[in-house]
Amino acid sequence: AWGTRLDRDKFEVFMIHTGDPKDKVSDALAAQCHHFWHRPSTRSTLNRELLKFIRSLKLDVLIYPDIGMAPAYQILGALRLAPVQGNGLGHPVTSGLPAIDVALSSNAMEPEGADAHYSERLVRLANLGFCYDDGPASRSRGTFPRDDGPRDDGPRDDGGPVYICAQNLSKILPDEDPLFARIAAAVPNSVFWFISSQSNAVSAKFRARLERAFAAAGTEGGDRIKMLARLDQQKFYAMYRAADIALDSHGWSGCNTTFEALACGLPVVTWPGEMMRARHSCAILGQIGLTETIAASADEYVDIAVRLGRDETWRSKIVEQLAECRHAAFNDPAPIRSLEEFLLESRGR
């Protein structure tokens, strides 16, 4: 929405797609901006012609949705291709690159003193920092759950509460394992779902870690720990609909996964950390005014999760509140207006 919802009378929007595939999402973006180019680059090398092309556009501001997920963007970000260059924090850490001038972030997600966390000048966009679309266009692209989407009970077999942590396994650090184990010990009939890594070895090591933590807490892992296969988008939503409670990771919070959980009516338990990357879910829940599942400590995180698992009446109340207030997390124009203010200010420098 940073590109598609800007005031078209004030801004001329250029999008350059450097990935290999094109799909209905990229086609939809192309239809919603003034200029769209598909210029694929490899993950480790960059075509000199692409650099010449970007310079030829004579952009006023160049924004990278993320810097850090692919080597090509590290190379691009190190070069001066526009007078003002921004890090969109899709990978929510500082770029550390002198040629990147600003880090575009969220006022609600950044902690006090966050300016010191960035080599760039920190720009706090309003509220969550971006406008997350849940409208008909998003549904037609398959990027948001359909109202009539399927519910797949998957590996459910005992009727107990299902906890799911859908984060990339690299986000879940070993010191968080005891939290899952303590919840499991307090809710004996519960099961825990995780999404397998693309690496079978990583998934196996993660499961072994959890089983050791469960054993240390005096409970069995065994069939209670489920490593689920990676899924396409609508099957992922079906999995969310089949679960009962989402457990956020502490050191690196969920963001897309939390928006998706809310859209699927799934309560999210979170314990915010010190850095912006550990505060996504806290900010999202704060935006909708549902703060009962935000913990202030490890013990409170466990207590909230256990209560949700054991007290079905309270869990149903949270689900009802979520259905009433979750709309406030989506289609918020305030971040776009503040992005426009930043762009106009940058043009005037």
Side-chain angles (χ1 to χ4, degrees):
W2 279 6
T4 61
R5 295 201 181 190
L6 290 175
D7 186 334
R8 296 176 68 88
D9 292 330
K10 295 180 180 178
F11 303 95
E12 185 176 10
V13 179
F14 299 72
M15 288 191 186
I16 305 171
H17 173 32
T18 60
D20 289 325
K22 287 185 67 178
D23 56 21
K24 55 188 176 182
V25 176
S26 60
D27 290 343
L29 289 172
Q32 296 179 73
C33 63
H34 295 93
H35 311 282
F36 185 95
W37 294 277
H38 186 207
R39 296 291 181 105
S41 64
T42 68
R43 291 178 61 87
S44 57
T45 63
L46 213 54
N47 189 327
R48 288 180 179 272
E49 293 303 314
L50 175 61
L51 304 180
K52 293 179 182 178
F53 174 69
I54 295 173
R55 285 198 176 101
S56 73
L57 297 177
K58 300 187 183 302
L59 303 174
D60 295 301
V61 180
L62 173 59
I63 297 174
Y64 297 95
D66 78 75
I67 299 175
M69 296 300 288
Y73 299 114
Q74 299 278 1
I75 299 170
L76 279 172
L79 303 173
R80 176 59 65 182
L81 303 176
V84 177
Q85 302 189 153
N87 179 1
L89 293 180
H91 188 64
V93 296
T94 183
S95 69
L97 299 172
I100 300 298
D101 307 297
V102 296
L104 297 171
S105 188
S106 154
N107 186 57
M109 294 179 188
E110 290 291 355
E112 185 177 350
D115 297 77
H117 300 164
Y118 298 93
S119 62
E120 308 93 337
R121 176 171 69 91
L122 178 61
V123 175
R124 295 171 173 84
L125 300 181
N127 299 340
L128 299 177
F130 43 83
C131 177
Y132 211 100
D133 181 16
D134 73 339
S138 181
R139 295 176 194 277
S140 69
R141 295 196 299 266
T143 56
F144 214 72
R146 299 188 300 269
D147 293 329
D148 60 347
R151 176 185 168 95
D152 180 5
D153 285 341
R156 294 191 72 132
D157 53 18
D158 62 357
V162 172
Y163 294 93
I164 182 167
C165 182
Q167 304 309 316
N168 188 309
L169 297 185
S170 63
K171 290 185 176 182
I172 307 172
L173 301 182
D175 59 3
E176 297 174 49
D177 297 352
L179 302 180
F180 301 119
R182 289 170 60 189
I183 297 166
V187 190
N189 61 337
S190 58
V191 294
F192 293 76
W193 292 355
F194 299 90
I195 306 298
S196 295
S197 168
Q198 291 176 314
S199 164
N200 292 333
V202 169
S203 298
K205 288 183 177 181
F206 177 80
R207 182 187 179 94
R209 261 178 39 195
L210 275 187
E211 289 181 346
R212 289 194 297 270
F214 274 48
T219 190
E220 290 295 324
D223 293 338
R224 298 178 66 190
I225 299 172
K226 309 286 186 180
M227 301 302 299
L228 305 185
R230 299 170 75 85
L231 304 167
D232 68 27
Q233 189 68 76
Q234 292 302 325
K235 288 182 179 178
F236 180 90
Y237 295 137
M239 174 194 65
Y240 256 177
R241 287 192 172 96
D244 297 302
I245 301 143
L247 298 175
D248 196 19
S249 45
H250 172 59
W252 197 305
S253 171
C255 189
N256 283 307
T257 48
T258 297
F259 280 108
E260 292 165 332
L262 300 189
C264 292
L266 188 62
V268 177
V269 184
T270 189
W271 169 29
E274 296 181 2
M275 308 293 283
M276 178 265 199
R277 61 181 174 268
R279 303 175 66 85
H280 303 318
S281 296
C282 177
I284 296 167
L285 293 176
Q287 173 89 355
I288 68 175
L290 186 58
T291 59
E292 291 92 329
T293 59
I294 300 174
S297 66
D299 288 343
E300 190 174 7
Y301 178 91
V302 172
D303 290 344
I304 293 170
V306 168
R307 184 181 177 191
L308 284 171
R310 297 173 65 172
D311 187 342
E312 293 188 25
T313 300
W314 188 57
R315 185 167 77 234
S316 296
K317 178 183 176 183
I318 295 295
V319 171
E320 290 174 4
Q321 290 176 337
L322 178 57
E324 293 174 358
C325 66
R326 65 186 176 189
H327 67 277
F330 303 99
N331 302 304
D332 179 11
I336 304 302
R337 303 290 82 80
S338 62
L339 176 60
E340 289 176 344
E341 291 176 6
F342 159 74
L343 292 171
L344 291 172
E345 170 197 316
S346 299
R347 175 68 185 273
R349 289 188 173 186

